[in-house]
Amino acid sequence: MKRITILINCNDKQGIIASVTTFIQQQSGNIVYIDQHVDREDSMFFMRLECEFSKEIFSVENFKQSFSTTIATNFEMNWHLYDSDKKPKMALFVSKYDHCLYDILSRYSSNEMEVEIPLIISNHPDLEPIANNFNIPYYYIKVTKETKEAAEDLQLKLLKEFEVDFIVLARYMQILSSKLIQDYTNKIINIHHSFLPAFPGAKPYHSAYKRGVKIIGATSHYVTEDLDEGPIIEQDITRVTHTNTIADFILKGKDLEKIVLSRAIKLHTKRKVMVYKNKTVVFI
Amino acid sequence: MKRITILINCNDKQGIIASVTTFIQQQSGNIVYIDQHVDREDSMFFMRLECEFSKEIFSVENFKQSFSTTIATNFEMNWHLYDSDKKPKMALFVSKYDHCLYDILSRYSSNEMEVEIPLIISNHPDLEPIANNFNIPYYYIKVTKETKEAAEDLQLKLLKEFEVDFIVLARYMQILSSKLIQDYTNKIINIHHSFLPAFPGAKPYHSAYKRGVKIIGATSHYVTEDLDEGPIIEQDITRVTHTNTIADFILKGKDLEKIVLSRAIKLHTKRKVMVYKNKTVVFI
Amino acid sequence: MKRITILINCNDKQGIIASVTTFIQQQSGNIVYIDQHVDREDSMFFMRLECEFSKEIFSVENFKQSFSTTIATNFEMNWHLYDSDKKPKMALFVSKYDHCLYDILSRYSSNEMEVEIPLIISNHPDLEPIANNFNIPYYYIKVTKETKEAAEDLQLKLLKEFEVDFIVLARYMQILSSKLIQDYTNKIINIHHSFLPAFPGAKPYHSAYKRGVKIIGATSHYVTEDLDEGPIIEQDITRVTHTNTIADFILKGKDLEKIVLSRAIKLHTKRKVMVYKNKTVVFI
Amino acid sequence: MKRITILINCNDKQGIIASVTTFIQQQSGNIVYIDQHVDREDSMFFMRLECEFSKEIFSVENFKQSFSTTIATNFEMNWHLYDSDKKPKMALFVSKYDHCLYDILSRYSSNEMEVEIPLIISNHPDLEPIANNFNIPYYYIKVTKETKEAAEDLQLKLLKEFEVDFIVLARYMQILSSKLIQDYTNKIINIHHSFLPAFPGAKPYHSAYKRGVKIIGATSHYVTEDLDEGPIIEQDITRVTHTNTIADFILKGKDLEKIVLSRAIKLHTKRKVMVYKNKTVVFI
C-alpha cells in the first residue's frame, strides 16, 4: 500500500470534512487516521489525514492535480501532501554539548526516527568523533563576528547541496541570521532550556536558580526572528529543591532537553505539527 | 443551534467517515468536533461526532430514524445519539470519606459539571450534613450482611425513581451486587486508590507502603463484576519518599483520588469514553 | 511528650550541628527530625529540628532562655521555637472564586490541616453561605478606590483582634497595601495561577493561551511588595493542548491552584519553610 | 580537603546524632551534609553524613579505628565509610537493547557519572561496536541452558578480576543465579519496564496494553532472588492513550527506562541509598 499524509488549513466552512473524505473514498483511498481542529476565535480549520492507496493504481501526481483543482480551490486551502515513503532529511547543528546529539543519534541508529541525517554542522570541532562513530559527515564551520556572514553562506550552501528538509538546533549556541530563518520557516527546531516564556535568552538555569523556582523546564519550538518566541511544539518540566545547585539544575535539565527535543523532532517528522498565529496545533 | 453528540462503533471498513460526514452535511448539520480511532488488531472502528443543527428544521427523532435505517444498518453500527440539552443524571454513592464528595459538590455548585445530581446514597449517616448544605436528597441505606439484598433493592428502586443515568462511587466502601452492575453496565464509575493493576482490593496504601514504592496513584474505572478489573478511564500518580508514613500516603492519595474521579466524571458526561475489550477509548 | 520545632538560620561555621544536638541531649530531649541545609554561595546555614521532651520536667521558657544565652549567642543565630501544641491561626481572604475556599475548608473540617481559622475576610458577599456552612465568621469588607484605606484598617484591626498568625489569599483579587505586607512579612501566602515567573500579573491563563504554551501552572508564594515576585513555596503544572480553550485552561488551572495552595499552607503550618534571599528552603 | 561519606544504621536511641556530630567535630571535621531518618514502626535509625577533613592531618584508617571502637560499638551500628576520592567500579550487563547503554556511556564520557566502567558483559555480540566507540572492554559470554553455569563462573571471575563494586543490568535479558546475587547483595541494579509491582516478569508493555492502563512506568531496583521484587530505588511514569500501540508503549518506555536507570545509578554511586526491610531509604 502507498501511504500519504495530507495537512489542510483553511477558513472553517460547513462540509469540508465530508468533501475531503468523500474525495478520498472516490480515489479508492482508505483513511487510516483523521484529526481535525477548529480555532473557534478565528473560524480557522485544520486537518491531518493519513490515507492508504493501492500501489498499482495510485499516482501521487494525479491525486495532487485533482485535489488541487477541485476541493482545495473551492475551500481556498493551504495544503501539503507528504509521501510516507520519503524520509525527511534533517541537518543537525551542534556546538559543544553532546547530550542531545547522543540522544538523537542513538535513536537514529536504532531506527527510532524516520529521518535521514545527511550532515552535522558545528561551530566547534569537539563533537566530530561522535559524528564519526555514527558515520555522519561533520562540517566544522567556525563562526566569529567577522566570519559570521561567510559561515552562514557556507551553511546554506551545504543545506541546499544535501537537500535538507529541516534543521534541528541540538544546543547550537549561535543565533541564526534572518536569511536562514526565512529560508526554513517553521523548519528549524530549537531546544531552549527553560519552560518558556519564563527565562528566555542566555543562562536560564542561572536565572531559575536565582528566582528560586521549584520546577525547571525545557521547551522545543520553531525558530523565528524573535529570540525564543517562536511557536512552541513541546515542553516538559522536572522538580528542583533548595538542595539543588546550578550544576544540578543543568544536569537535570539535560535529561529534559534531550527528551523534549526528540519528542518535537518525532512530531515534526510525522507531520503532526501545524503552525498558526505563532502557536502550534499538535495532533497526537 | 441544536447540538448533538454521536458515538459510533463498528467493524472497520472503507468509507465510514465519508458516509457519516456526508450524511450529516445532507441533513444541513455542521460538524463541530470529529474524533476517530481504529483498533488495528481487531479492525474495530470508533467515532465521536459533535454536530450542530438549526433548531427550526432539526428533529432528533427524524435524524435517528433516518441514520438508523441507512448508514447504521449498512455498516452494522453500535451507535448512540446524545442530546446536549439534556444533562445526564448522576447518583452519588458515599460512605464516610468526604473528600471526593466535597470536590464533586463544589464543582457542581459552580456549574463546572454538566450533570444533575438528584440523590446521594450512603451506607452511613455521617455525610448527610454535607448533602444538606448543597440541597441534595441524602438516602441513608444501611448495608449489613443480612440486609444487603434488601438494601440493594431499595437502591435500585431509588435509581429508577430518579431516572438515574449513571452512578459514581465516591469512595463507597461496599461491593455492588451483580444485578446493579448489570443494570448499569459501563455506567458505574469507581475511584480506586492505587495505580491499577498494582494493589487491587482493600488497603492499597498499606500495601504500597509495605512494598516501598516511590509513586502512588489513583485509578478511575467502570465497575465490572471482577473487582478493580473494569475498564480504566483515568489514572494519575504522585511521588512518595521513605519519609512518608502510611498516613501521608493516605493524605496525598486523597488529593489524587478527588482529581482523578472528577476528571473521569467529566469525560463520561461529555460522552468522550467508549468501552471495548475491557479497555476505554478516551477522546480528548 | 512535649514536642517543639526549632528553626535556625546563621552563618555557616564548624560545629553548629554538634553544638545544637548536644545541647538538646543535655536538656534530655530526643531529636525526632533533623533537617539541615547550607547555601554554599553565601555560607549560610539553615536547620530545622523537631524534638520531644518529657512534659514533667520541660519548660519552654527555660529552654528558650538557656538556648538564647549560649548557642544562639555564640553562633549569632536567627531562630524561632514553635510549640507543637499551639495551632497557628490562619485568616482566609477570598473574593468570588470558591474552589480554593472549598478545598481548604473541607480539609479543615476533616482535621487534615493543623490550623485554626478564626475568620474569613472578603471584598464580596458571595461566599458567605459557604463560610456559614463551616461555621466560620465571615467579614464582608467592601474595597473600592475610595474605601481602600479604611478597609485595610478594618482588616488589620480584625487580624489583631483574632490574633491571626498568618494570612492565606485564596484567590483574593485585590493588591494588599505595604502596611499589611510589612506587618505580616513572610506570613501572607498567595496562589498565583501561572508557573511564575511566566505570566505574572492579571489574566495569566489568557496570556498562556495566546502564547501557545503546552503546560500551565500554579505558584504559591509569600507576598512581598513586588507583585508576584515573592519567595516561591510550591509550584505544579498540568499539560494543555491546542484543543483547550481559555475556559479549559481556567478549569484545569483551578485544580492546580487548590492543590498547590493547600500544599503550601501545610508546609507553612508545619514550619518547614525558611526564607532567604527571596527564595525558600523547604524541608520535606 | 578530604571528603568522606558515612552511612549509619542502628536501633534508634537518644543521643545518636549528638554523639556522631560531636565525634566528627572532635576529629576536626566539618559536616557538609547530614541526612537522617527514623523508621518509627521499628525504631530503626538511618543517617548519612558527608564530612570534610584537612588532608594533612586526617587518616581514614585512624578515623575508622576510633569510630569503630567508640560510638559504633556503643550504639551497635552497621556503618560504612566511603572515600569520595575513590570512584566505584561499575560493570554493565547488556543484551541487545542499546538505549540504556548509550545513555549511560554518553553520561560517562561527559563525566556526569562518578564511576569507572572497567568492563561490559553481554550474552550477545551485538553491542560490541558501541563499547568499542567508548573504549570499554566488551566480554561476549554466551548463555544457554547448558552453558549457564560455566557462563556465570566466567562472569564472576571477570567481576573479581576487575574489582567490580556494583553491577548494572542495562536491560540484560537473563535471570541471574543465586550465587551472583548473594555475592553482590544490594549491589546489582536492574531496570524493569513497568511501575512495579504492576506487571512483573516478561513483556510488561504487552500486559499494560492489554489491561488498558493510562500510565506506563519504569522501576529501578536492587536485584534479589525474588524476580522483580527487590527494593525499589526509583520509579517514573508517562501517560499513554488508546491511540498508542504496543510499539508506542515500548518507545515511550525506552525514554523512561534510561532516565530512571541513570537516576538510580547516580543515587547508588553517591551513597544515597540504604536498604532496610526490602525497601530503600533514599536521601535527596
Side-chain angles (χ1 to χ4, degrees), chain B residues 211, chain D residues 169 175-178 181-182 186 188 190 192 196-197 200-201 221-232 277-278:
Chain B
R211 179 61 186 92
Chain D
L169 309 183
I175 293 171
L176 300 183
S177 71
S178 293
I181 294 171
Q182 281 161 16
N186 297 333
I188 308 175
N190 186 39
H192 181 75
L196 289 172
H221 62 94
Y222 289 118
V223 174
T224 60
E225 299 200 37
D226 299 311
L227 186 67
D228 298 332
E229 301 208 349
I232 293 170
K277 286 206 297 184
N278 205 44

PDB file of all heavy atoms in Angstrom, chain B residues 211, chain D residues 169 175-178 181-182 186 188 190 192 196-197 200-201 221-232 277-278:
ATOM      1  N   ARG B 211       5.491  -2.268  50.234  1.00  0.00           N
ATOM      2  CA  ARG B 211       6.327  -2.620  49.087  1.00  0.00           C
ATOM      3  C   ARG B 211       7.447  -1.608  48.870  1.00  0.00           C
ATOM      4  O   ARG B 211       8.408  -1.863  48.152  1.00  0.00           O
ATOM      5  CB  ARG B 211       5.446  -2.730  47.835  1.00  0.00           C
ATOM      6  CG  ARG B 211       6.190  -3.069  46.543  1.00  0.00           C
ATOM      7  CD  ARG B 211       6.877  -4.422  46.647  1.00  0.00           C
ATOM      8  NE  ARG B 211       7.696  -4.695  45.467  1.00  0.00           N
ATOM      9  CZ  ARG B 211       8.981  -4.391  45.363  1.00  0.00           C
ATOM     10  NH1 ARG B 211       9.605  -3.790  46.363  1.00  0.00           N
ATOM     11  NH2 ARG B 211       9.654  -4.699  44.271  1.00  0.00           N
TER      12      ARG B 211
ATOM     13  N   LEU D 169      22.341  -3.887  35.443  1.00  0.00           N
ATOM     14  CA  LEU D 169      21.713  -4.664  34.371  1.00  0.00           C
ATOM     15  C   LEU D 169      20.956  -3.688  33.472  1.00  0.00           C
ATOM     16  O   LEU D 169      19.835  -3.291  33.774  1.00  0.00           O
ATOM     17  CB  LEU D 169      20.755  -5.705  34.951  1.00  0.00           C
ATOM     18  CG  LEU D 169      21.309  -6.617  36.059  1.00  0.00           C
ATOM     19  CD1 LEU D 169      20.256  -7.643  36.483  1.00  0.00           C
ATOM     20  CD2 LEU D 169      22.581  -7.325  35.599  1.00  0.00           C
ATOM     21  N   ILE D 175      18.074 -14.117  33.748  1.00  0.00           N
ATOM     22  CA  ILE D 175      17.916 -14.137  35.202  1.00  0.00           C
ATOM     23  C   ILE D 175      19.230 -14.580  35.828  1.00  0.00           C
ATOM     24  O   ILE D 175      19.840 -15.566  35.391  1.00  0.00           O
ATOM     25  CB  ILE D 175      16.752 -15.071  35.598  1.00  0.00           C
ATOM     26  CG1 ILE D 175      15.443 -14.452  35.090  1.00  0.00           C
ATOM     27  CG2 ILE D 175      16.712 -15.273  37.110  1.00  0.00           C
ATOM     28  CD1 ILE D 175      14.251 -15.369  35.222  1.00  0.00           C
ATOM     29  N   LEU D 176      19.692 -13.835  36.809  1.00  0.00           N
ATOM     30  CA  LEU D 176      20.982 -14.138  37.438  1.00  0.00           C
ATOM     31  C   LEU D 176      20.847 -15.314  38.412  1.00  0.00           C
ATOM     32  O   LEU D 176      19.774 -15.565  38.961  1.00  0.00           O
ATOM     33  CB  LEU D 176      21.504 -12.915  38.193  1.00  0.00           C
ATOM     34  CG  LEU D 176      21.735 -11.648  37.376  1.00  0.00           C
ATOM     35  CD1 LEU D 176      22.325 -10.558  38.270  1.00  0.00           C
ATOM     36  CD2 LEU D 176      22.657 -11.907  36.184  1.00  0.00           C
ATOM     37  N   SER D 177      21.954 -15.972  38.662  1.00  0.00           N
ATOM     38  CA  SER D 177      21.954 -17.096  39.612  1.00  0.00           C
ATOM     39  C   SER D 177      22.006 -16.577  41.049  1.00  0.00           C
ATOM     40  O   SER D 177      22.417 -15.442  41.308  1.00  0.00           O
ATOM     41  CB  SER D 177      23.178 -17.975  39.362  1.00  0.00           C
ATOM     42  OG  SER D 177      24.336 -17.287  39.791  1.00  0.00           O
ATOM     43  N   SER D 178      21.601 -17.423  41.964  1.00  0.00           N
ATOM     44  CA  SER D 178      21.647 -17.086  43.383  1.00  0.00           C
ATOM     45  C   SER D 178      23.048 -16.683  43.806  1.00  0.00           C
ATOM     46  O   SER D 178      23.251 -15.756  44.582  1.00  0.00           O
ATOM     47  CB  SER D 178      21.240 -18.295  44.225  1.00  0.00           C
ATOM     48  OG  SER D 178      19.906 -18.580  44.011  1.00  0.00           O
ATOM     49  N   ILE D 181      23.873 -13.161  42.880  1.00  0.00           N
ATOM     50  CA  ILE D 181      23.050 -12.239  43.674  1.00  0.00           C
ATOM     51  C   ILE D 181      23.547 -12.161  45.112  1.00  0.00           C
ATOM     52  O   ILE D 181      23.620 -11.077  45.698  1.00  0.00           O
ATOM     53  CB  ILE D 181      21.562 -12.677  43.626  1.00  0.00           C
ATOM     54  CG1 ILE D 181      21.020 -12.519  42.199  1.00  0.00           C
ATOM     55  CG2 ILE D 181      20.721 -11.855  44.604  1.00  0.00           C
ATOM     56  CD1 ILE D 181      19.652 -13.116  41.968  1.00  0.00           C
ATOM     57  N   GLN D 182      23.927 -13.304  45.666  1.00  0.00           N
ATOM     58  CA  GLN D 182      24.413 -13.301  47.046  1.00  0.00           C
ATOM     59  C   GLN D 182      25.771 -12.597  47.172  1.00  0.00           C
ATOM     60  O   GLN D 182      26.038 -11.912  48.155  1.00  0.00           O
ATOM     61  CB  GLN D 182      24.493 -14.728  47.586  1.00  0.00           C
ATOM     62  CG  GLN D 182      23.125 -15.245  48.018  1.00  0.00           C
ATOM     63  CD  GLN D 182      23.067 -16.746  48.121  1.00  0.00           C
ATOM     64  OE1 GLN D 182      24.120 -17.407  48.168  1.00  0.00           O
ATOM     65  NE2 GLN D 182      21.878 -17.292  48.139  1.00  0.00           N
ATOM     66  N   ASN D 186      22.423  -6.148  47.278  1.00  0.00           N
ATOM     67  CA  ASN D 186      22.159  -4.698  47.201  1.00  0.00           C
ATOM     68  C   ASN D 186      23.229  -3.977  46.384  1.00  0.00           C
ATOM     69  O   ASN D 186      23.485  -2.795  46.579  1.00  0.00           O
ATOM     70  CB  ASN D 186      22.044  -4.087  48.595  1.00  0.00           C
ATOM     71  CG  ASN D 186      20.872  -4.669  49.362  1.00  0.00           C
ATOM     72  OD1 ASN D 186      19.896  -5.119  48.761  1.00  0.00           O
ATOM     73  ND2 ASN D 186      20.972  -4.684  50.682  1.00  0.00           N
ATOM     74  N   ILE D 188      23.420  -4.975  42.861  1.00  0.00           N
ATOM     75  CA  ILE D 188      23.033  -5.207  41.473  1.00  0.00           C
ATOM     76  C   ILE D 188      21.778  -4.387  41.213  1.00  0.00           C
ATOM     77  O   ILE D 188      20.751  -4.567  41.864  1.00  0.00           O
ATOM     78  CB  ILE D 188      22.739  -6.698  41.194  1.00  0.00           C
ATOM     79  CG1 ILE D 188      23.910  -7.566  41.672  1.00  0.00           C
ATOM     80  CG2 ILE D 188      22.466  -6.911  39.705  1.00  0.00           C
ATOM     81  CD1 ILE D 188      23.636  -9.066  41.546  1.00  0.00           C
ATOM     82  N   ASN D 190      18.835  -3.217  38.683  1.00  0.00           N
ATOM     83  CA  ASN D 190      18.106  -3.605  37.478  1.00  0.00           C
ATOM     84  C   ASN D 190      17.141  -2.497  37.077  1.00  0.00           C
ATOM     85  O   ASN D 190      16.733  -1.687  37.898  1.00  0.00           O
ATOM     86  CB  ASN D 190      17.313  -4.904  37.749  1.00  0.00           C
ATOM     87  CG  ASN D 190      16.645  -5.431  36.491  1.00  0.00           C
ATOM     88  OD1 ASN D 190      17.223  -5.374  35.403  1.00  0.00           O
ATOM     89  ND2 ASN D 190      15.428  -5.928  36.627  1.00  0.00           N
ATOM     90  N   HIS D 192      13.417  -2.362  35.429  1.00  0.00           N
ATOM     91  CA  HIS D 192      12.277  -3.149  34.959  1.00  0.00           C
ATOM     92  C   HIS D 192      11.293  -2.211  34.272  1.00  0.00           C
ATOM     93  O   HIS D 192      11.007  -1.118  34.775  1.00  0.00           O
ATOM     94  CB  HIS D 192      11.600  -3.883  36.117  1.00  0.00           C
ATOM     95  CG  HIS D 192      10.445  -4.728  35.652  1.00  0.00           C
ATOM     96  ND1 HIS D 192      10.631  -5.923  35.000  1.00  0.00           N
ATOM     97  CD2 HIS D 192       9.106  -4.533  35.694  1.00  0.00           C
ATOM     98  CE1 HIS D 192       9.450  -6.440  34.683  1.00  0.00           C
ATOM     99  NE2 HIS D 192       8.515  -5.613  35.095  1.00  0.00           N
ATOM    100  N   LEU D 196       6.435  -1.201  38.937  1.00  0.00           N
ATOM    101  CA  LEU D 196       6.256  -2.317  39.858  1.00  0.00           C
ATOM    102  C   LEU D 196       5.499  -1.844  41.104  1.00  0.00           C
ATOM    103  O   LEU D 196       5.670  -0.703  41.499  1.00  0.00           O
ATOM    104  CB  LEU D 196       7.611  -2.893  40.271  1.00  0.00           C
ATOM    105  CG  LEU D 196       8.360  -3.656  39.194  1.00  0.00           C
ATOM    106  CD1 LEU D 196       9.763  -3.999  39.662  1.00  0.00           C
ATOM    107  CD2 LEU D 196       7.615  -4.910  38.775  1.00  0.00           C
ATOM    108  N   PRO D 197       4.668  -2.693  41.700  1.00  0.00           N
ATOM    109  CA  PRO D 197       4.508  -4.128  41.467  1.00  0.00           C
ATOM    110  C   PRO D 197       3.566  -4.489  40.325  1.00  0.00           C
ATOM    111  O   PRO D 197       3.260  -5.665  40.166  1.00  0.00           O
ATOM    112  CB  PRO D 197       3.941  -4.618  42.794  1.00  0.00           C
ATOM    113  CG  PRO D 197       3.123  -3.477  43.276  1.00  0.00           C
ATOM    114  CD  PRO D 197       3.865  -2.242  42.854  1.00  0.00           C
ATOM    115  N   PRO D 200       5.035  -7.459  36.822  1.00  0.00           N
ATOM    116  CA  PRO D 200       6.370  -8.054  36.950  1.00  0.00           C
ATOM    117  C   PRO D 200       6.568  -9.078  35.830  1.00  0.00           C
ATOM    118  O   PRO D 200       5.635  -9.398  35.090  1.00  0.00           O
ATOM    119  CB  PRO D 200       6.301  -8.748  38.313  1.00  0.00           C
ATOM    120  CG  PRO D 200       4.870  -9.093  38.492  1.00  0.00           C
ATOM    121  CD  PRO D 200       4.089  -8.011  37.796  1.00  0.00           C
ATOM    122  N   GLY D 201       7.793  -9.563  35.724  1.00  0.00           N
ATOM    123  CA  GLY D 201       8.063 -10.630  34.764  1.00  0.00           C
ATOM    124  C   GLY D 201       8.176 -10.148  33.329  1.00  0.00           C
ATOM    125  O   GLY D 201       8.449  -8.975  33.073  1.00  0.00           O
ATOM    126  N   HIS D 221      15.508  -1.149  40.621  1.00  0.00           N
ATOM    127  CA  HIS D 221      15.519  -1.790  41.941  1.00  0.00           C
ATOM    128  C   HIS D 221      16.767  -2.652  42.088  1.00  0.00           C
ATOM    129  O   HIS D 221      17.398  -3.027  41.097  1.00  0.00           O
ATOM    130  CB  HIS D 221      14.266  -2.651  42.120  1.00  0.00           C
ATOM    131  CG  HIS D 221      14.180  -3.781  41.132  1.00  0.00           C
ATOM    132  ND1 HIS D 221      14.642  -5.054  41.412  1.00  0.00           N
ATOM    133  CD2 HIS D 221      13.712  -3.828  39.861  1.00  0.00           C
ATOM    134  CE1 HIS D 221      14.443  -5.823  40.356  1.00  0.00           C
ATOM    135  NE2 HIS D 221      13.885  -5.107  39.394  1.00  0.00           N
ATOM    136  N   TYR D 222      17.102  -2.959  43.337  1.00  0.00           N
ATOM    137  CA  TYR D 222      18.166  -3.914  43.591  1.00  0.00           C
ATOM    138  C   TYR D 222      17.640  -5.318  43.323  1.00  0.00           C
ATOM    139  O   TYR D 222      16.477  -5.630  43.628  1.00  0.00           O
ATOM    140  CB  TYR D 222      18.663  -3.804  45.033  1.00  0.00           C
ATOM    141  CG  TYR D 222      19.450  -2.539  45.307  1.00  0.00           C
ATOM    142  CD1 TYR D 222      19.002  -1.606  46.237  1.00  0.00           C
ATOM    143  CD2 TYR D 222      20.641  -2.285  44.627  1.00  0.00           C
ATOM    144  CE1 TYR D 222      19.722  -0.445  46.485  1.00  0.00           C
ATOM    145  CE2 TYR D 222      21.355  -1.115  44.869  1.00  0.00           C
ATOM    146  CZ  TYR D 222      20.897  -0.198  45.785  1.00  0.00           C
ATOM    147  OH  TYR D 222      21.607   0.950  46.007  1.00  0.00           O
ATOM    148  N   VAL D 223      18.501  -6.143  42.778  1.00  0.00           N
ATOM    149  CA  VAL D 223      18.092  -7.495  42.426  1.00  0.00           C
ATOM    150  C   VAL D 223      18.172  -8.398  43.646  1.00  0.00           C
ATOM    151  O   VAL D 223      19.182  -8.417  44.353  1.00  0.00           O
ATOM    152  CB  VAL D 223      18.993  -8.041  41.300  1.00  0.00           C
ATOM    153  CG1 VAL D 223      18.684  -9.510  41.027  1.00  0.00           C
ATOM    154  CG2 VAL D 223      18.804  -7.203  40.039  1.00  0.00           C
ATOM    155  N   THR D 224      17.081  -9.104  43.902  1.00  0.00           N
ATOM    156  CA  THR D 224      17.069 -10.141  44.932  1.00  0.00           C
ATOM    157  C   THR D 224      16.674 -11.443  44.252  1.00  0.00           C
ATOM    158  O   THR D 224      16.399 -11.467  43.057  1.00  0.00           O
ATOM    159  CB  THR D 224      16.055  -9.818  46.043  1.00  0.00           C
ATOM    160  OG1 THR D 224      14.759  -9.725  45.446  1.00  0.00           O
ATOM    161  CG2 THR D 224      16.387  -8.513  46.734  1.00  0.00           C
ATOM    162  N   GLU D 225      16.613 -12.483  45.037  1.00  0.00           N
ATOM    163  CA  GLU D 225      16.302 -13.774  44.409  1.00  0.00           C
ATOM    164  C   GLU D 225      14.840 -13.879  43.979  1.00  0.00           C
ATOM    165  O   GLU D 225      14.490 -14.737  43.171  1.00  0.00           O
ATOM    166  CB  GLU D 225      16.710 -14.909  45.349  1.00  0.00           C
ATOM    167  CG  GLU D 225      18.215 -14.853  45.612  1.00  0.00           C
ATOM    168  CD  GLU D 225      18.784 -16.162  46.119  1.00  0.00           C
ATOM    169  OE1 GLU D 225      18.342 -17.229  45.664  1.00  0.00           O
ATOM    170  OE2 GLU D 225      19.695 -16.100  46.971  1.00  0.00           O
ATOM    171  N   ASP D 226      13.980 -13.005  44.498  1.00  0.00           N
ATOM    172  CA  ASP D 226      12.595 -12.975  44.037  1.00  0.00           C
ATOM    173  C   ASP D 226      12.498 -12.015  42.859  1.00  0.00           C
ATOM    174  O   ASP D 226      12.685 -10.814  43.017  1.00  0.00           O
ATOM    175  CB  ASP D 226      11.677 -12.529  45.174  1.00  0.00           C
ATOM    176  CG  ASP D 226      11.737 -13.475  46.354  1.00  0.00           C
ATOM    177  OD1 ASP D 226      11.614 -14.691  46.131  1.00  0.00           O
ATOM    178  OD2 ASP D 226      11.943 -12.995  47.489  1.00  0.00           O
ATOM    179  N   LEU D 227      12.186 -12.543  41.722  1.00  0.00           N
ATOM    180  CA  LEU D 227      12.207 -11.772  40.480  1.00  0.00           C
ATOM    181  C   LEU D 227      11.344 -10.503  40.572  1.00  0.00           C
ATOM    182  O   LEU D 227      10.154 -10.572  40.881  1.00  0.00           O
ATOM    183  CB  LEU D 227      11.707 -12.656  39.323  1.00  0.00           C
ATOM    184  CG  LEU D 227      11.797 -12.029  37.936  1.00  0.00           C
ATOM    185  CD1 LEU D 227      13.239 -11.829  37.520  1.00  0.00           C
ATOM    186  CD2 LEU D 227      11.055 -12.875  36.912  1.00  0.00           C
ATOM    187  N   ASP D 228      11.960  -9.361  40.295  1.00  0.00           N
ATOM    188  CA  ASP D 228      11.269  -8.064  40.267  1.00  0.00           C
ATOM    189  C   ASP D 228      10.642  -7.692  41.602  1.00  0.00           C
ATOM    190  O   ASP D 228       9.708  -6.891  41.651  1.00  0.00           O
ATOM    191  CB  ASP D 228      10.194  -8.039  39.156  1.00  0.00           C
ATOM    192  CG  ASP D 228      10.806  -8.211  37.779  1.00  0.00           C
ATOM    193  OD1 ASP D 228      11.970  -7.830  37.605  1.00  0.00           O
ATOM    194  OD2 ASP D 228      10.128  -8.750  36.894  1.00  0.00           O
ATOM    195  N   GLU D 229      11.147  -8.247  42.668  1.00  0.00           N
ATOM    196  CA  GLU D 229      10.596  -7.916  43.987  1.00  0.00           C
ATOM    197  C   GLU D 229      11.626  -7.283  44.913  1.00  0.00           C
ATOM    198  O   GLU D 229      11.388  -7.130  46.113  1.00  0.00           O
ATOM    199  CB  GLU D 229       9.999  -9.175  44.633  1.00  0.00           C
ATOM    200  CG  GLU D 229       8.897  -9.771  43.791  1.00  0.00           C
ATOM    201  CD  GLU D 229       7.872 -10.537  44.590  1.00  0.00           C
ATOM    202  OE1 GLU D 229       8.107 -10.802  45.781  1.00  0.00           O
ATOM    203  OE2 GLU D 229       6.836 -10.871  44.002  1.00  0.00           O
ATOM    204  N   GLY D 230      12.761  -6.909  44.400  1.00  0.00           N
ATOM    205  CA  GLY D 230      13.795  -6.301  45.223  1.00  0.00           C
ATOM    206  C   GLY D 230      13.450  -4.869  45.603  1.00  0.00           C
ATOM    207  O   GLY D 230      12.484  -4.289  45.098  1.00  0.00           O
ATOM    208  N   PRO D 231      14.246  -4.279  46.494  1.00  0.00           N
ATOM    209  CA  PRO D 231      13.998  -2.918  46.991  1.00  0.00           C
ATOM    210  C   PRO D 231      14.017  -1.900  45.851  1.00  0.00           C
ATOM    211  O   PRO D 231      14.974  -1.832  45.083  1.00  0.00           O
ATOM    212  CB  PRO D 231      15.169  -2.666  47.946  1.00  0.00           C
ATOM    213  CG  PRO D 231      15.730  -4.015  48.272  1.00  0.00           C
ATOM    214  CD  PRO D 231      15.429  -4.899  47.118  1.00  0.00           C
ATOM    215  N   ILE D 232      12.972  -1.097  45.776  1.00  0.00           N
ATOM    216  CA  ILE D 232      12.828  -0.111  44.701  1.00  0.00           C
ATOM    217  C   ILE D 232      13.671   1.121  45.007  1.00  0.00           C
ATOM    218  O   ILE D 232      13.576   1.697  46.092  1.00  0.00           O
ATOM    219  CB  ILE D 232      11.352   0.280  44.530  1.00  0.00           C
ATOM    220  CG1 ILE D 232      10.550  -0.921  44.013  1.00  0.00           C
ATOM    221  CG2 ILE D 232      11.197   1.474  43.601  1.00  0.00           C
ATOM    222  CD1 ILE D 232       9.043  -0.722  44.034  1.00  0.00           C
ATOM    223  N   LYS D 277      14.434  -3.808  55.237  1.00  0.00           N
ATOM    224  CA  LYS D 277      13.142  -4.480  55.078  1.00  0.00           C
ATOM    225  C   LYS D 277      12.660  -4.470  53.624  1.00  0.00           C
ATOM    226  O   LYS D 277      11.502  -4.154  53.348  1.00  0.00           O
ATOM    227  CB  LYS D 277      12.086  -3.808  55.956  1.00  0.00           C
ATOM    228  CG  LYS D 277      12.248  -4.120  57.424  1.00  0.00           C
ATOM    229  CD  LYS D 277      10.910  -4.019  58.167  1.00  0.00           C
ATOM    230  CE  LYS D 277      10.332  -2.611  58.131  1.00  0.00           C
ATOM    231  NZ  LYS D 277       9.087  -2.540  58.953  1.00  0.00           N
ATOM    232  N   ASN D 278      13.542  -4.753  52.716  1.00  0.00           N
ATOM    233  CA  ASN D 278      13.218  -4.799  51.294  1.00  0.00           C
ATOM    234  C   ASN D 278      12.693  -3.469  50.744  1.00  0.00           C
ATOM    235  O   ASN D 278      11.999  -3.418  49.739  1.00  0.00           O
ATOM    236  CB  ASN D 278      12.205  -5.919  51.003  1.00  0.00           C
ATOM    237  CG  ASN D 278      12.298  -6.387  49.560  1.00  0.00           C
ATOM    238  OD1 ASN D 278      13.396  -6.572  49.035  1.00  0.00           O
ATOM    239  ND2 ASN D 278      11.157  -6.552  48.901  1.00  0.00           N
TER     240      ASN D 278
END
